[in-house]
Amino acid sequence: GESVGLHLPTLSVQEGDNSIINCAYSNSASDYFIWYKQESGKGPQFIIDIRSNMDKRQGQRVTVLLNKTVKHLSLQIAATQPGDSAVYFCAETRAGGTSYGKLTFGQGTILTVHP
Amino acid sequence: GAVVSQHPSRVICKSGTSVKIECRSLDFQATTMFWYRQFPKQSLMLMATSNEGSKATYEQGVEKDKFLINHASLTLSTLTVTSAHPEDSSFYICSARDLGTGVVVTYGYTFGSGTRLTVV
């Protein structure tokens, strides 16, 4: 089956530190990956995405790294702030075809940033 | 940017009753919407794909007669939880796919704010 979340790992960092959140995906056919931030009681919020033809993509304070060989995705947050505290999910899908839009979510990581 | 509105945000209902949740795309047309369920401290799990003008397709293990989906227009999909039981209590979230501008592929899929269902 696909990735299923049962227990959420946690990451605690100090304000100003860099955070790295990891994700293992399961479907070799996936060619589009997205990181989402979810705050309590809210829907997922888009952070950054990457296509399978790329290894790295940078946004504002965030960087996503993709290693297709080991099916691993990471999200790096620079100078983490208390407002970054949330649950972070990676999601995989195919960017076209009948599966377009059907996201498979990773297990999620709870990020807590201490002032 | 693309906005998806979900209503209600919270609902409490008695066991055995039915609850309807709405998902609207506010500034774009969505031929396809997706319904997810999220239990506490767990990830999102896709329940079904809602297709405008046709029947929804359900993921394995999701009862189509219990979770009725109607996608009657390009901007509205509804999920009705029929004969709700306490085990149906969960966070239900929808997402929408833009009709064809391609923007959604670049910026991810737009999610609603979710509906917290509590069945007592």
Side-chain angles (χ1 to χ4, degrees):
Chain A
E2 303 297 341
S3 302
V4 175
L6 294 177
H7 303 284
L8 301 184
T10 60
L11 174 64
S12 293
V13 301
Q14 290 296 126
E15 181 178 2
D17 288 350
N18 296 332
S19 301
I20 299 177
I21 300 171
N22 297 302
C23 176
Y25 65 93
S26 57
N27 189 348
S28 299
S30 294
D31 55 11
Y32 182 53
F33 305 88
I34 311 167
W35 278 101
Y36 286 97
K37 172 186 180 183
Q38 186 181 27
E39 297 175 320
S40 181
K42 298 183 179 179
Q45 177 186 356
F46 172 85
I47 300 174
I48 191 168
D49 58 1
I50 188 168
R51 291 185 179 273
S52 59
N53 61 354
M54 301 173 68
D55 297 323
K56 178 180 179 179
R57 191 168 187 217
Q58 288 185 292
Q60 188 174 15
R61 281 203 307 121
V62 294
T63 301
V64 55
L65 299 177
L66 175 63
N67 185 330
K68 296 181 288 295
T69 302
V70 295
K71 292 188 286 187
H72 183 268
L73 201 63
S74 69
L75 176 70
Q76 300 178 2
I77 305 174
T80 315
Q81 303 168 359
D84 295 327
S85 295
V87 181
Y88 289 80
F89 292 97
C90 67
E92 59 180 300
T93 188
R94 300 207 64 178
T98 57
S99 295
Y100 177 33
K102 295 178 68 171
L103 295 174
T104 299
F105 282 82
Q107 62 178 336
T109 297
I110 301 172
L111 174 65
T112 302
V113 182
H114 301 283
Chain B
V3 176
V4 173
S5 173
Q6 202 170 327
H7 179 81
S9 58
R10 288 180 176 270
V11 57
I12 300 174
C13 70
K14 292 184 177 180
S15 186
T17 61
S18 296
V19 174
K20 180 184 287 187
I21 302 170
E22 294 185 347
C23 180
R24 294 181 183 272
S25 56
L26 296 187
D27 52 1
F28 66 99
Q29 293 181 322
T31 54
T32 305
M33 293 183 175
F34 302 91
W35 287 96
Y36 294 82
R37 180 167 54 184
Q38 184 179 32
F39 292 109
K41 299 190 184 303
Q42 292 190 21
S43 189
L44 286 79
M45 294 293 291
L46 180 66
M47 297 176 65
T49 302
S50 171
N51 304 297
E52 186 268 336
S54 65
K55 291 182 178 180
T57 54
Y58 291 81
E59 297 300 301
Q60 190 173 5
V62 178
E63 301 174 58
K64 62 180 181 180
D65 294 330
K66 181 171 185 61
F67 299 99
L68 301 179
I69 292 174
N70 184 288
H71 194 152
S73 77
L74 286 172
T75 60
L76 174 64
S77 174
T78 60
L79 169 68
T80 301
V81 182
T82 63
S83 186
H85 288 94
E87 57 265 31
D88 298 323
S89 298
S90 186
F91 194 51
Y92 293 86
I93 311 170
C94 67
S95 73
R97 188 168 91 189
D98 201 314
L99 184 58
T101 66
V103 172
V104 70
V105 177
T106 303
Y107 296 106
Y109 304 88
T110 305
F111 282 83
S113 54
T115 297
R116 174 74 60 193
L117 171 63
T118 303
V119 184
V120 298

